[in-house]
Amino acid sequence: MVAEKVDLIVFGEKILPAAGGEILSGHGVAVAGARIRAVAPLVELRQRYPGVAELGLDRGLLMPGLINMHTHAPMSCYRGLADDLPLMRWLEDYIFPAEAELTPEVVYWGAKLSMLEMIRSGTTSFCDMYLFSREVARAAVDVGMRGWLGEVLYDFPSPCYGPPEEGLKLVRAMAVEMADDPLINIVVEPHAVYTCSPGLLVASHDLAREFDLPWIIHLAENREETKTVNGRYGKSPAVHLAGLGLLDNRTIAAHCVTISAAEIALFAETGVNVVHCPESNMKLASGVAPVAAMVAAGVNVSLGTDGSASNNDLDMFGEMASAALLQKVGRLDPTLLPSRTALAMATVNPAAALGLAGKLGVIAPGALADIIVLDMNAPHLTPMYDVASHLVYAVRGGDVIHSLIGGRVVMRDRRIIGVDEAEVMARVNGFARDIAALF
Ligand SMILES: [Zn+2]
């Protein structure tokens, strides 16, 4: 028998192949190209593929890389610029004036900074909405990170593309250009119901359908939004979208804090995917999204951090803990959103929302080799009765030691490969001096 070629064997003490699944001990993962070839006892893999390079940690835990389903990556440039303010004051007095000075260069370096932070805290895929998204794509390719990226669309002129119809043209061009990119996936992203006319919402959804892309929108983020949309259309944001025929399984709705039981049933029926952003919702005092009720109704709910200006970090381990804790205290029920559900919201659920169930967010033969290795040999992780419990309630992003994206090692021993991290931080610090001078 001719041995199949593999490029790398990744190993640790334990493997969590999928959220909620059995833990494997003494196993390894054989990677060939961008994909996982085999998951088997390490001894067997070493016999089957002699002389293959290895990456691992004796007391390590392997798990699928996390998927951050809602980011505005370049906003790391505004992290901590202004906090503890009402949403409109925060936006109008700080974020919008700062964004008025936005250049493609700021977007590129800000996005790159966020990617370093994401990789360092176990995220291997992210779903981003921002301006100058070509620059976000360029940064993702340079870093080697997997991204679902979109140009934000709204009714007013954009500093990137000008009038709204040009935005649709830009997204179309990017979808064509990047159709075969191994890391970059284009998504269609109208900003929100209150910033996009019905015509723009429908046209953008048509574009998403034409190219079979996800259609992503901020929806029902807080009471203010619901009031505004009700005043304008006499309907809630979700019912407004339903009336336009825009609720289906390519729809990914971020936030969904102020939604009713009837709207949850509608989401379940139409296959709408939801992204919960607990820390951003807490920080902006938006409220507690009814996540447990959505999950119980069969809605596919994923997790996102939102931008660094409203979080203020991109650590998905922290976000999983926040999601679980917020449901419990919000509904005064400690049984809500158990650790396995939180883990699914950062791995298999996003994969399903992106149409990649079984191919992303799991460690299985044929799946994309997006794998992280955590050091579990630490005081704050000792003892370990239950891996899922630790991953949600005790692990922090800094426990991630190695990371692979599409079979390529992007972080080894906490060093990011092929990126000068000091340069990225120096660039963003340079922009920050100019931003600070505006206020
Ligand atoms: Zn957002």
Side-chain angles (χ1 to χ4, degrees):
M1 195 184 92
V2 182
E4 317 152 291
K5 186 185 171 304
V6 304
D7 302 303
L8 186 69
I9 292 173
V10 192
F11 68 90
E13 186 183 358
K14 291 183 165 66
I15 301 178
L16 174 74
E22 289 290 311
I23 304 291
L24 302 174
S25 292
H27 278 54
V29 179
V31 174
R35 293 187 182 269
I36 293 168
R37 172 67 57 82
V39 182
L42 186 57
V43 185
E44 213 179 295
L45 287 178
R46 283 176 173 158
Q47 280 170 356
R48 213 190 299 172
Y49 308 111
V52 168
E54 295 188 1
L55 177 74
L57 204 62
D58 289 334
R59 293 287 309 277
L61 172 81
L62 270 61
M63 68 175 287
L66 302 177
I67 305 165
N68 187 343
M69 280 295 279
H70 188 64
T71 58
H72 308 285
M75 290 189 85
S76 54
C77 291
Y78 311 130
R79 181 186 352 243
L81 171 66
D83 298 306
D84 314 321
L85 292 171
L87 176 64
M88 282 336 261
R89 256 196 73 198
W90 174 71
L91 280 176
E92 286 169 3
D93 293 354
Y94 292 93
I95 299 301
F96 292 158
E99 284 185 336
E101 308 291 314
L102 205 61
T103 63
E105 215 193 349
V106 174
V107 169
Y108 175 82
W109 291 101
K112 212 166 179 179
L113 181 74
S114 283
M115 288 175 218
L116 298 182
E117 183 188 354
M118 286 193 270
I119 291 172
R120 289 182 151 278
S121 52
T123 295
T124 50
S125 287
F126 70 116
C127 189
D128 201 67
M129 177 196 281
Y130 210 60
L131 300 143
F132 299 104
S133 53
R134 265 185 205 284
E135 295 300 314
V136 182
R138 193 162 69 86
V141 169
D142 288 352
V143 173
M145 194 155 182
R146 194 180 303 286
W148 274 261
L149 313 175
E151 184 74 23
V152 64
L153 304 169
Y154 38 50
D155 289 334
F156 18 94
S158 153
C160 172
Y161 52 76
E165 58 277 14
E166 292 300 318
L168 289 168
K169 282 188 203 159
L170 172 64
V171 178
R172 173 182 292 275
M174 287 174 69
V176 171
E177 258 169 60
M178 297 178 198
D180 299 320
D181 195 288
L183 290 175
I184 307 303
N185 308 273
I186 298 304
V187 290
V188 183
E189 296 186 309
H191 175 260
V193 164
Y194 59 95
T195 46
C196 296
S197 66
L200 179 57
L201 292 173
V202 170
S204 64
H205 197 272
D206 286 348
L207 181 66
R209 206 168 26 219
E210 185 186 332
F211 285 87
D212 194 20
L213 307 175
W215 186 76
I216 306 177
I217 188 165
H218 291 109
L219 194 76
E221 181 168 354
N222 56 25
R223 279 183 293 187
E224 191 64 26
E225 174 184 339
T226 301
K227 215 173 110 191
T228 304
V229 174
N230 249 307
R232 205 178 295 168
Y233 300 109
K235 293 169 186 160
S236 72
V239 172
H240 177 59
L241 285 189
L244 295 170
L246 304 180
L247 296 187
D248 57 31
N249 65 0
R250 77 177 64 256
T251 299
I252 301 178
H255 298 301
C256 298
V257 174
T258 54
I259 61 163
S260 67
E263 288 166 343
I264 292 174
L266 185 62
F267 284 3
E269 194 188 306
T270 53
V272 166
N273 303 278
V274 167
V275 182
H276 177 43
C277 304
E279 292 184 10
S280 174
N281 294 162
M282 286 192 272
K283 186 154 183 279
L284 296 171
S286 301
V288 183
V291 175
M294 289 193 251
V295 172
V299 176
N300 182 42
V301 185
S302 304
L303 265 186
T305 55
D306 214 348
S308 289
S310 65
N311 187 304
N312 292 1
D313 66 61
L314 304 172
D315 184 343
M316 283 289 286
F317 283 101
E319 209 67 32
M320 287 194 284
S322 295
L325 299 177
L326 182 59
Q327 279 309 288
K328 296 172 200 306
V329 73
R331 299 287 180 273
L332 298 178
D333 181 351
T335 68
L336 294 183
L337 224 158
S339 56
R340 280 162 182 73
T341 306
L343 268 176
M345 288 167 67
T347 52
V348 289
N349 295 6
L354 297 166
L356 286 174
K359 298 290 172 205
L360 185 73
V362 291
I363 294 181
L368 289 161
D370 292 8
I371 301 168
I372 56 175
V373 184
L374 290 88
D375 181 7
M376 304 304 272
N377 187 26
H380 68 289
L381 303 175
T382 303
M384 185 162 66
Y385 301 107
D386 179 20
V387 171
S389 162
H390 268 17
L391 290 173
V392 172
Y393 297 118
V395 163
R396 288 296 169 264
D399 298 318
V400 179
I401 305 299
H402 308 307
S403 176
L404 246 85
I405 301 177
R408 180 180 163 257
V409 180
V410 293
M411 182 171 74
R412 183 192 293 266
D413 296 316
R414 292 202 60 72
R415 276 180 62 88
I416 307 271
I417 311 292
V419 182
D420 182 344
E421 292 187 80
E423 185 198 8
V424 179
M425 291 190 282
R427 292 282 192 146
V428 172
N429 278 328
F431 299 135
R433 279 190 284 277
D434 298 339
I435 294 165
L438 294 172
F439 303 98

